[in-house]
Amino acid sequence: MTTTATVRPARTGTSRRRAVGWLWGVAGIVVIAVIWEVYKLVGPADGVVIGGARVLPRTTDLAMPHVWDMIGRLAEPVTRSASAQPLWLVIVLSALTTLGIAAVGWLVGLVVGVGLALVMQRWRIAEWGLLPWIVLSQTVPLIAFAPVVKSWGSRVEIGGFEWQDWMSVALIASYLAFFPIAIGALKGLQSPDVIHEELMQTYAAGYWQTLAKLRFPAAVPYLLPALRLGAANAVVGAVVAEVSTGLQGGIGRILIQFAGQASGDPAKAWGPIFGAVVLGLVAAGSVALLGVILKNYRRTEEAV
C-alpha cells in the first residue's frame, strides 16, 4: 500500500530534478553569453582565418553586436515610425503565426508517423520495405523541396476547396516531424517482451486488445521523446519553408527581412533568431503536457 510518506519524497525528488535542470539551462545561456563577449573582446577584428578560410567570425559590432545591445534592441520600436510596434511584439506575433502552422504540421506528422509505425509493427515485410524509404526521405533538402510543394499545392482543386500557402508550409513541417515519431513509435510498439505477448495470448486477447493494453502503454517512454523531437523539427521545417516559399507573417519571413537590414541595424537582425530559438523550446516543451497526462506510463523515457 502506498503511503503519503513514500509519495512525498518521490514528488520532492522530481521537483528537485526539474529545478536543477532549469538551473543548468540558465547556466548554459549565461556561459554562451560570456563566451560571446570574451571572444568579441580578445578576438581579431577580421576573425580567425586558417588556410585562407575564416573559421571564427569577425568581432566588429556589425558582425557581433554586444549581448546587451541585442537584448536592449528588443524593447525599441521595429522602425523609426511613431506608430511602430516594439521589436519584441513583432517577433512574438510572427512566432505565434509560425507556431500555429508548425502545430498543424506536427499533428499531421503524428498521424502519419504513428500510422506507419503500426503498419511496420504489424507486418514485418512492411518494415523491411518502408523503413529504408522513411530514412532516405530525410535526405531531401528542404530548400529545394519547399517551392515544389508550393507549386503542387497551388494546382490542387477539389470542389470549392482552395489550397492556401500556409498549408504548403504545414505540409513541409509535417515532413520533418513524422520521421522521429515513426521511428520512436515503432521502437516502442516492438518493445514488449515475448513473455508479455504470450500472456496476452493466453487471455485470448486479439490484435487490437494487445495493441491497446500492452503495446501502446509500453511505447509511451519511447514516444514522448520522439514527439518532442518531432515538435522541434516541425518548427524548423515551418521556418525554412516560410523562407523558401515567401510566406508572409511568420518568423521565417522577418528573419530574411531583418537580415537584409543588418548593415544599418545589426542588433535588430538577432531578434528573430532569439524568437526562433524560444519558439522551438516552447514547441518541444508543450509536449510535456502529454507527459503529465500519461505520467502513469512514464517510468523511464528512452532515446529514439
Side-chain angles (χ1 to χ4, degrees), residues 98 102 142 172-173 176 229-242 276 279-280 283:
T98 302
L142 288 185
I172 295 166
L176 283 187
L229 183 58
N233 282 1
V235 170
V236 173
V239 173
V240 173
E242 287 172 351
L279 182 59

Side-chain angles (χ1 to χ4, degrees), residues 196-218:
H196 296 147
E197 296 177 10
E198 293 176 347
L199 179 63
M200 295 297 292
Q201 291 174 3
T202 62
Y203 291 153
Y207 170 75
W208 294 107
Q209 287 179 309
T210 303
L211 187 66
K213 300 294 185 180
L214 176 62
R215 294 195 182 277
F216 268 130

